[in-house]
Amino acid sequence: MRPLLVLVLVALFGTPVPCGAAEVRPLYPRRIVSLAPAVTEILFELGLGGRVVGVTSLCDRPAEARRRPTVGGMANPSMEAIVALRPDLVVMTRDGNPKEIAQRLTALGIATHVFTAARLADLPAGIRRMGRALGAERAAGRLAANLQAAAAAAVPPAGRRRRALFVVWPDPLLAAGSGTIIDDAMQLSGFSNIAADARGTYPRLSLETVLERQPEVIIVGAAGGMQVPLKEMLHRLRMLDAVQRGRVCTVGDALYRPGPRVVEGIAELRRCGALP
């Protein structure tokens, strides 16, 4: 399944890992397994890449992470593969990994840490907590402070907000809704999210609803295998002014991963906002 879609579907339908109660942590873990791409990116950004002994099949950044042994996907990591790597800490996410994995690891006496950052404002605190769990407080503090400063500097552009649709997947049409880092980034970039009032964080929208709400800009989170269904979706929305004027903007996966690259994601959205 396409990696980007997997991330979203896990967030949609996965059972959240409980945060806090079951966690046990060594002071200075030396063998770390990461069960999420965002976690892997943070670990390497904190200078801990040398301690990462296992990642998921979706952990493709930085390039060095691709050379680590994989333990399966986010939604279905292999317990056997994790245990075989003899980790002294497994780092996972609340919304991306099955809670059963945390429970089974704890039962085996393997320490866990659950990273949480559902909103942009949550990210610095989540990174600081992760730094404390890893004995990397200083590096985590620097990264958190940098992200806070970048977010504070990202003042929304002056003037009227443009109505925008952020397409996570075109068929069925999944949009980024409220309560997400993507929605937060859209607000910072001067957009009004047409899916903000829909139920769920990644709501399914009908094409009729999109036509009724007339987004002025359509933003697409690019993913492998999306080209054909995206082309068909845009054809069916061809009467929209956004489509006719070419205000369809493709961005990468930075906003899907709550980590060091969210600033890049916000910059991408701002470039979308600059479309004539």
Side-chain angles (χ1 to χ4, degrees):
M1 190 178 291
R2 293 88 176 179
L4 202 55
L5 183 58
V6 170
L7 290 174
V8 174
L9 292 178
V10 167
L12 275 168
F13 304 116
T15 304
V17 173
C19 182
E23 292 185 33
V24 288
R25 308 166 185 169
L27 287 177
Y28 299 104
R30 299 296 177 187
R31 296 182 63 81
I32 304 169
V33 169
S34 167
L35 296 187
V39 166
T40 300
E41 290 191 32
I42 294 172
L43 287 169
F44 277 82
E45 187 70 21
L46 297 182
L48 301 173
R51 303 186 196 175
V52 176
V53 297
V55 297
T56 74
S57 56
L58 299 176
C59 297
D60 56 358
R61 288 173 181 265
E64 188 181 349
R66 300 174 193 164
R67 295 194 288 272
R68 298 294 189 271
T70 59
V71 297
M74 281 183 69
N76 58 346
S78 164
M79 279 295 299
E80 291 73 17
I82 295 172
V83 172
L85 292 170
R86 297 179 289 104
D88 51 14
L89 183 68
V90 177
V91 187
M92 57 187 68
T93 64
R94 181 179 183 277
D95 298 320
N97 301 126
K99 67 177 182 181
E100 292 78 12
I101 293 295
Q103 294 168 343
R104 292 175 66 187
L105 289 169
T106 300
L108 291 172
I110 298 175
T112 61
H113 174 75
V114 180
F115 172 71
T116 59
R119 304 292 299 272
L120 200 55
D122 302 333
L123 185 54
I127 289 174
R128 287 191 175 96
R129 284 194 297 271
M130 189 166 154
R132 287 194 292 273
L134 297 165
E137 292 91 338
R138 286 190 179 183
R142 285 194 295 271
L143 175 58
N146 289 341
L147 291 174
Q148 278 181 310
V155 178
R160 185 181 66 82
R161 289 179 177 273
R162 275 178 160 177
R163 296 187 304 279
L165 166 68
F166 192 109
V167 177
V168 173
W169 191 254
D171 186 20
L173 201 169
L174 298 178
S178 61
T180 63
I181 285 179
I182 294 174
D183 182 63
D184 292 337
M186 292 175 74
Q187 302 302 320
L188 281 176
S189 303
F191 291 114
S192 173
N193 185 358
I194 70 162
D197 63 346
R199 181 176 297 180
T201 49
Y202 294 96
R204 180 173 173 172
L205 299 183
S206 68
L207 294 180
E208 290 74 18
T209 297
V210 176
L211 290 170
E212 288 172 2
R213 300 193 173 191
Q214 295 279 318
E216 297 167 276
V217 180
I218 297 175
I219 304 163
V220 180
M226 176 185 278
Q227 289 75 12
V228 172
L230 176 63
K231 185 177 180 181
E232 292 173 354
M233 183 198 79
L234 293 175
H235 178 71
R236 296 175 67 184
L237 296 174
R238 61 188 181 281
M239 60 289 292
L240 282 178
D241 193 55
V243 177
Q244 293 181 3
R245 292 177 179 267
R247 295 200 201 105
V248 179
C249 188
T250 301
V251 298
D253 63 1
L255 294 175
Y256 290 93
R257 301 184 181 189
R261 292 189 298 117
V262 294
V263 177
E264 296 175 25
I266 294 172
E268 284 184 307
L269 288 188
R270 287 181 169 248
R271 287 195 286 274
C272 295
L275 288 174

